[in-house]
Amino acid sequence: MEPAEDLSGGDVGSLTVDGSSDEAYWRGIERITAELDRSADLDRLCDLSRRHPEWPVRAACVRILGARFADRPAAQEAIAAATHDEVDWVAFTSIRVCGEQRIALAARDLIRISGWPSNFTKPGYARKPVGCGAAFTKRALISIFGSEDPDELRALENEHFGEVLRKAAEVRPRTVDDVVLVPAGPFVAGATVSEIGPFQMNDTDNPLRAAELPAFLIDRTAVTNERYARFLEDIGDSTDFDHPDQPERPDHRPVHWHDPRFNAPGMPVVGIDWYDAWAFAKWAGGRLPSEAQWEKAARGTDGRVFPWGNDWDPARANYVERAFEAEVHDLADLESLLVKVTATDVPKRPVLPADSLPEGASPYGLLHMAGNVWEMTRTNFFTRTDMDPFFRHLRPVEFMNRREAFYVLRGGTWTSPPVCLTTYYRGKDLLTDKHNEIGFRCVYPVES
């Protein structure tokens, strides 16, 4: 085994571990732990609790942070973050420290593991079999809240999370009038698909069924750069509209804001991630559509294949052949075309204005529900329930294989073949990715 990277920076001594034998390994761990304890460097301990390659060192950092710096916000953040460590005993160590030091900051992290204390302390409460992690977590939460009485715990939970719950429940007035009413009632969702087709796109995961939805309002077009610019100007450096799980970032500015192919005022905003879209929707007085809402708005009630009907018509949509001005017959053609995309000039005009191609409108009058840009939804691709991300303390590489991190995309984009433009095709993307192929629109409640 190769020695671990020296992460000492010259101020703590060597933090490498000799893995030539069990004895040498654990002697090295003991030596490093002693050095870290002697130096008691808060910043170094916080850093190493996240990124030292040997889990016993990360666990030791958590223990030292709890013993020496439990009242310091940076230490509390690091300890709470360690509850999500990929190695069980680092997470367990952090959970125990949270309970011992009553680190209230970690309550939200711990509740995601075990559930609400006011529930699991009820007499006769049914639960799944638990392991060490759940047992440690329940004990830690009871310590943090200082009670085992379910009624008292419920009051303490409401007090602790009061501001978060208030912000989540707060509804702003709708900031746009260019919306369309989708009436309440049933619609035909999904499709029966027996062949994959020449593009090898799997569209068999949305089975034919009847679905029922209450009435809602939805943007007639995708959110444009002009609307998004008003959002940026209005919020400034405020975080009032951020998702509680949003990673730290300087602002919600799109990454393609200065690319003339994508930044015209009337074009759909792209280069933003799911958290950006979530914040805009909250600011606008709405939210992202569920995939069922999006599908009904795209196809109406009769189960049509495309927003305009059942027959493909290339004149009604912005898709790969229009964007690249080239014919595409199969997957090989598609891939050979897409690898020619550049960051500056290929293709020259990939995206059309959001308020264009009226001949491709859906039954309710929505534009570009097929092609131009993919559109985000609030639905998790795998569970088909609303997204409920919890990755604040993690880097994307640490959750990019987690099912909870993928939302449903709908509608296809300027790089898509026709199969992806069908009203029932389900795409997916990681909630922190930012693409020039993805935009969004919002839904709003119907005023009573």
Side-chain angles (χ1 to χ4, degrees):
M1 178 177 176
E2 293 296 321
E5 177 188 1
D6 184 353
L7 300 172
S8 66
D11 57 349
V12 181
S14 174
L15 298 184
T16 58
V17 179
D18 178 3
S20 60
S21 69
D22 292 348
E23 293 79 7
Y25 179 84
W26 289 107
R27 280 198 306 270
I29 296 297
E30 290 175 5
R31 172 182 56 78
I32 292 170
T33 300
E35 290 180 0
L36 291 170
D37 197 26
R38 277 196 302 272
S39 68
D41 183 321
L42 173 59
D43 291 339
R44 175 66 64 179
L45 288 164
C46 291
D47 183 44
L48 294 177
S49 72
R50 293 183 174 93
R51 71 185 189 99
H52 196 282
E54 302 298 335
W55 72 261
V57 175
R58 300 199 299 277
C61 290
V62 170
R63 289 195 300 271
I64 298 168
L65 285 168
R68 291 179 175 266
F69 301 106
D71 61 336
R72 304 281 286 275
Q76 294 177 0
E77 287 277 359
I79 293 167
T83 62
H84 304 290
D85 195 281
E86 62 185 5
V87 176
D88 53 5
W89 205 252
V90 181
F92 296 168
T93 300
S94 173
I95 293 166
R96 292 179 70 171
V97 169
C98 289
E100 291 165 359
Q101 302 297 335
R102 300 188 70 183
I103 297 176
L105 179 72
R108 181 170 177 263
D109 301 68
L110 301 178
I111 285 170
R112 292 296 297 266
I113 299 172
S114 67
W116 293 96
S118 57
N119 286 335
F120 65 66
T121 54
K122 291 177 181 176
Y125 179 72
R127 56 180 63 88
K128 294 179 179 179
V130 300
C132 298
F136 286 139
T137 303
K138 290 173 181 177
R139 179 165 295 186
L141 283 167
I142 288 170
S143 173
I144 288 170
F145 285 108
S147 175
E148 294 187 49
D149 178 77
D151 294 331
E152 185 177 0
L153 280 167
R154 176 53 58 86
L156 290 168
E157 291 163 0
N158 289 339
E159 180 181 347
H160 183 81
F161 293 102
E163 182 61 18
V164 173
L165 294 171
R166 183 195 64 77
K167 286 182 67 175
E170 190 178 68
V171 178
R172 281 168 50 89
R174 178 163 45 86
T175 62
V176 64
D177 293 325
D178 191 10
V179 295
V180 172
L181 172 67
V182 177
F187 75 103
V188 177
T192 301
V193 180
S194 58
E195 295 182 3
I196 298 300
F199 293 100
Q200 297 296 297
M201 303 291 181
N202 188 341
D203 55 358
T204 61
D205 61 344
N206 193 6
L208 187 67
R209 64 201 183 280
E212 181 114 12
L213 288 175
F216 59 93
L217 299 172
I218 185 169
D219 288 327
R220 186 178 64 88
T221 72
V223 173
T224 62
N225 289 314
E226 182 179 18
R227 279 187 72 193
Y228 199 84
R230 291 201 297 271
F231 159 66
L232 293 177
E233 181 179 5
D234 186 58
I235 65 169
D237 58 2
S238 169
T239 60
D240 289 349
F241 302 101
D242 291 358
H243 190 283
D245 187 59
Q246 178 181 294
E248 293 183 6
R249 58 182 55 176
D251 54 39
H252 292 286
R253 191 171 302 277
V255 297
H256 299 296
W257 209 229
H258 298 292
D259 187 333
R261 296 177 300 167
F262 301 103
N263 67 1
M267 287 182 176
V269 65
V270 296
I272 42 93
D273 70 9
W274 188 87
Y275 290 109
D276 294 322
W278 193 95
F280 175 96
K282 187 170 179 62
W283 170 84
R287 57 178 176 166
L288 293 174
S290 68
E291 70 166 323
Q293 287 175 319
W294 190 98
E295 185 169 331
K296 183 175 182 180
R299 74 193 313 188
T301 60
D302 59 7
R304 61 184 60 191
V305 176
F306 298 101
W308 55 82
N310 289 321
D311 297 322
W312 169 244
D313 184 347
R316 297 174 185 260
N318 184 31
Y319 70 117
V320 63
E321 291 190 356
R322 180 192 285 260
F324 287 86
E325 299 179 333
E327 291 188 359
V328 180
H329 301 100
D330 54 28
L331 183 61
D333 281 356
L334 178 64
E335 291 178 346
S336 66
L337 202 58
L338 297 184
V339 297
K340 296 176 183 176
V341 172
T342 69
T344 56
D345 58 0
V346 178
K348 286 183 169 39
R349 291 175 292 276
V351 176
L352 297 180
D355 196 3
S356 62
L357 295 187
E359 59 270 30
S362 81
Y364 300 111
L366 281 73
L367 300 184
H368 288 294
M369 296 297 272
N372 213 30
V373 292
W374 286 108
E375 296 190 7
M376 302 184 199
T377 73
R378 67 175 188 267
T379 303
N380 179 276
F381 182 83
F382 295 99
T383 66
R384 300 174 189 261
T385 59
D386 281 0
M387 290 285 290
D388 189 19
F390 195 62
F391 305 117
R392 185 175 178 83
H393 297 298
L394 303 180
R395 297 168 298 158
V397 70
E398 297 175 283
F399 57 78
M400 62 187 299
N401 293 318
R402 299 268 290 274
R403 290 160 62 96
E404 311 96 288
F406 288 87
Y407 65 91
V408 173
L409 286 170
R410 287 302 198 105
T413 187
W414 56 272
T415 59
S416 297
V419 63
C420 297
L421 276 61
T422 56
T423 54
Y424 51 83
Y425 188 88
R426 306 176 77 234
K428 70 177 187 294
D429 197 36
L430 186 69
L431 79 175
T432 51
D433 281 357
K434 300 184 178 186
H435 299 280
N436 58 24
E437 302 159 291
I438 298 175
F440 69 100
R441 71 183 76 207
C442 305
V443 295
Y444 312 89
V446 177
E447 294 89 347
S448 55

